[in-house]
Amino acid sequence: MVAKKQKGKGKKVTRVGRPNKLNSVNVRETLIQAGVELLETTSLEEISLRKVAAKAGVSHVASYHHFENKHALFSAIAEIGFQKYFESYQIELQKTEQDFKGRYRALGWTYFQFIMNNRQFARIMFGGMGVESNLNPTLSSVSRRTYRQLHEIIRMGQNLGYLEKGQTREKTLASWAMIHGIAMLFLEGRLQMKNDTKEMEKFIQTVTEYAYNGMKS
Amino acid sequence: MVAKKQKGKGKKVTRVGRPNKLNSVNVRETLIQAGVELLETTSLEEISLRKVAAKAGVSHVASYHHFENKHALFSAIAEIGFQKYFESYQIELQKTEQDFKGRYRALGWTYFQFIMNNRQFARIMFGGMGVESNLNPTLSSVSRRTYRQLHEIIRMGQNLGYLEKGQTREKTLASWAMIHGIAMLFLEGRLQMKNDTKEMEKFIQTVTEYAYNGMKS
DNA sequence: ACCTGAACACCGTTCAAGT
DNA sequence: ACCTGAACACCGTTCAAGT
């Protein structure tokens, strides 16, 4: 159903990546890329190591030469998602005022928007598979990076007198959790909302305001 | 590996429920109960319809006479989790002052504590399987009940002058999301914390305070 | 070193047969 | 009406064999 068939006919169907001379680095990245593309059309539940391999044009066993198991392969796919997210934050930052409130709001809005616009990615990134992500060193470093980004902004706000001093960790977590929680509730389908970007932005802005008000000095 | 074997020997091994005369209602509930028990010892990833059926002492096909598919069975298991949660909230309410702040804090703390103390349940309840829960009428009614409980408290706070009037929905979601988000981040292993109940309670209290402060009048 | 087909032990779901 | 074994089309993982 996916691809496969047709061994050496020149018509490679939906194979991903360069057509020939796949060295091993190539295969690893072709697998990841195939996973990323498959994720766009297939729900996380339906995706499988075998389908990714088929899309990549290699035997499914080949995956085990580059990844320890299915989780490792899927984590690598999720990692691409985190890269995309960090990039989108950088882009959003360009468009925003560089003061504390601008950056604080930009981070929350980017976080939320990315999850809404990349639901499949979000599902693979945020433990949809029961992955305890602290078991994966890369993912946990990515979590720390997210944490540190926000932590830095909070600290900036404290230094500039916008936020009350002290309890920086608590304030960081509270801010992160609020946005994360809203995104997760939407993602799980527990909340409905008009799919209107303007309205969503306003909503996130309101909520961000609550958090900011609750922590200001 | 699980149970099964031994047809009519009187030694029913690990079968769940009453030993004989299973009518169909019985089988349905035996399956759910078996799922609940299995959840205590098996990760959500490893659990399967077949294992639940084996634990219940019926053929795995029997499940299809009572549930449309695997999701329906698992949703029924998740529902038990929600019942347990609502009960624990009632119990917590007894121990708490009935004023606004007491109820507001009790709800958040119960929500968080339940998830921490019932991680397997939480995983099956909160979309661990990629279940878009709005597709399941019972689950979505449970979501609405959670929402309404909090909504009522917020409204009470507004009427008593603790919270600013207006934007009740936004305030409800912000409060819910913050606690939910923290619990999810812990559940996914993205945050570490000493497994110290007192410390956790203090942390939740601090965060609840931020939310409260941000929305107060 | 890397890839492969075959095999293994599992899945969820369907079907035809039993009572 | 309800339960069953057999069968089907899938899984993830391992193994022995190929280059």
Side-chain angles (χ1 to χ4, degrees):
Chain A
M1 195 211 260
V2 183
K4 216 149 200 225
K5 290 265 159 178
Q6 302 191 351
K7 274 255 150 92
K9 283 231 198 90
K11 267 274 187 189
K12 252 144 292 83
V13 201
T14 43
R15 264 172 74 164
V16 161
R18 284 168 244 173
N20 42 26
K21 292 281 185 212
L22 297 179
N23 62 37
S24 76
V25 172
N26 233 309
V27 169
R28 188 180 196 279
E29 267 159 36
T30 306
L31 279 166
I32 296 175
Q33 186 56 31
V36 167
E37 291 183 22
L38 207 53
L39 203 56
E40 285 165 18
T41 56
T42 320
S43 77
L44 187 55
E45 251 209 320
E46 283 173 325
I47 223 168
S48 69
L49 180 145
R50 288 171 104 114
K51 282 179 186 162
V52 173
K55 179 123 186 148
V58 295
S59 112
H60 64 278
V61 190
S63 169
Y64 287 89
H65 293 281
H66 305 279
F67 302 97
E68 201 189 333
N69 52 28
K70 185 195 174 183
H71 283 320
L73 169 57
F74 280 38
S75 291
I77 297 167
E79 215 186 311
I80 303 285
F82 280 105
Q83 282 175 26
K84 280 185 64 165
Y85 160 67
F86 286 122
E87 284 166 21
S88 71
Y89 175 54
Q90 294 307 324
I91 291 168
E92 184 73 19
L93 259 189
Q94 309 299 315
K95 301 191 286 186
T96 321
E97 295 186 53
Q98 294 299 314
D99 64 346
F100 163 69
K101 285 187 94 167
R103 292 183 63 186
Y104 186 65
R105 212 178 303 146
L107 186 54
W109 175 236
T110 308
Y111 196 90
F112 179 78
Q113 212 180 9
F114 177 83
I115 293 178
M116 289 296 98
N117 293 340
N118 301 273
R119 289 169 190 244
Q120 293 301 326
F121 260 124
R123 276 188 245 271
I124 209 175
M125 287 157 71
F126 298 116
M129 352 184 29
V131 179
E132 297 250 353
S133 56
N134 55 343
L135 301 181
N136 180 311
T138 313
L139 278 193
S140 91
S141 100
V142 144
S143 271
R144 254 182 280 122
R145 181 172 166 190
T146 309
Y147 177 85
R148 262 187 284 117
Q149 265 182 348
L150 183 54
H151 193 269
E152 195 203 328
I153 294 179
I154 299 281
R155 204 139 37 85
M156 172 184 168
Q158 291 178 318
N159 289 336
L160 294 176
Y162 290 103
L163 300 182
E164 201 180 15
K165 303 243 173 180
Q167 295 189 311
T168 313
R169 176 171 169 80
E170 283 80 357
K171 292 187 173 72
T172 304
L173 291 183
S175 305
W176 185 9
M178 181 170 273
I179 300 291
H180 185 71
I182 288 174
M184 290 301 108
L185 289 172
F186 275 110
L187 203 62
E188 293 159 13
R190 301 196 113 70
L191 291 179
Q192 315 293 354
M193 194 184 218
K194 270 187 282 181
N195 205 349
D196 177 343
T197 309
K198 268 284 160 250
E199 197 166 333
M200 281 199 179
E201 188 165 6
K202 189 165 166 257
F203 173 66
I204 295 296
Q205 202 166 319
T206 302
V207 163
T208 306
E209 205 77 22
Y210 293 150
Y212 168 75
N213 280 340
M215 307 183 307
K216 78 179 170 206
S217 56
Chain B
M1 197 212 257
V2 181
K4 217 149 200 224
K5 290 265 158 176
Q6 303 191 353
K7 275 251 149 96
K9 284 231 198 89
K11 266 277 186 185
K12 255 145 287 83
V13 202
T14 44
R15 266 171 74 162
V16 161
R18 284 169 244 173
N20 43 25
K21 292 280 184 211
L22 297 180
N23 62 36
S24 76
V25 173
N26 233 310
V27 169
R28 187 179 197 279
E29 266 158 35
T30 306
L31 278 165
I32 295 174
Q33 186 55 32
V36 167
E37 291 183 21
L38 207 54
L39 203 56
E40 285 165 19
T41 57
T42 319
S43 77
L44 187 54
E45 252 210 319
E46 283 173 324
I47 224 168
S48 68
L49 180 144
R50 288 170 103 114
K51 282 180 186 164
V52 172
K55 178 122 186 149
V58 295
S59 112
H60 64 278
V61 190
S63 169
Y64 287 89
H65 293 281
H66 306 279
F67 302 98
E68 201 190 330
N69 52 29
K70 185 194 173 181
H71 283 321
L73 169 58
F74 280 37
S75 292
I77 297 167
E79 215 187 310
I80 303 284
F82 280 106
Q83 283 174 26
K84 281 185 62 166
Y85 161 68
F86 286 121
E87 284 165 22
S88 71
Y89 174 55
Q90 295 306 325
I91 291 168
E92 182 74 19
L93 260 189
Q94 310 299 316
K95 300 191 286 183
T96 320
E97 295 185 51
Q98 294 297 315
D99 64 346
F100 163 70
K101 285 186 93 168
R103 291 182 64 186
Y104 186 65
R105 212 178 303 147
L107 186 54
W109 174 236
T110 308
Y111 195 91
F112 179 76
Q113 211 180 10
F114 176 84
I115 292 178
M116 289 297 100
N117 292 340
N118 301 274
R119 290 169 190 244
Q120 293 301 327
F121 260 124
R123 275 187 247 271
I124 209 175
M125 288 157 71
F126 298 117
M129 356 185 27
V131 179
E132 298 249 354
S133 56
N134 55 342
L135 302 180
N136 180 310
T138 312
L139 277 194
S140 91
S141 100
V142 144
S143 271
R144 254 183 281 120
R145 182 172 166 191
T146 308
Y147 177 85
R148 263 186 286 116
Q149 265 182 347
L150 183 53
H151 192 269
E152 196 203 327
I153 294 179
I154 299 281
R155 204 140 37 85
M156 172 186 169
Q158 291 178 319
N159 289 337
L160 295 176
Y162 288 104
L163 299 182
E164 201 180 15
K165 302 242 175 184
Q167 295 188 313
T168 312
R169 177 171 169 80
E170 283 79 357
K171 292 187 174 69
T172 303
L173 291 184
S175 305
W176 185 10
M178 182 170 272
I179 299 292
H180 185 72
I182 287 174
M184 289 302 109
L185 289 172
F186 275 111
L187 202 61
E188 294 159 10
R190 302 195 113 69
L191 291 179
Q192 315 293 353
M193 193 181 219
K194 269 187 284 181
N195 206 348
D196 177 342
T197 310
K198 268 284 160 252
E199 197 166 334
M200 282 199 177
E201 188 164 8
K202 190 168 166 251
F203 173 66
I204 295 296
Q205 202 167 321
T206 302
V207 164
T208 306
E209 204 78 22
Y210 293 151
Y212 168 74
N213 279 341
M215 307 183 308
K216 79 177 170 208
S217 57

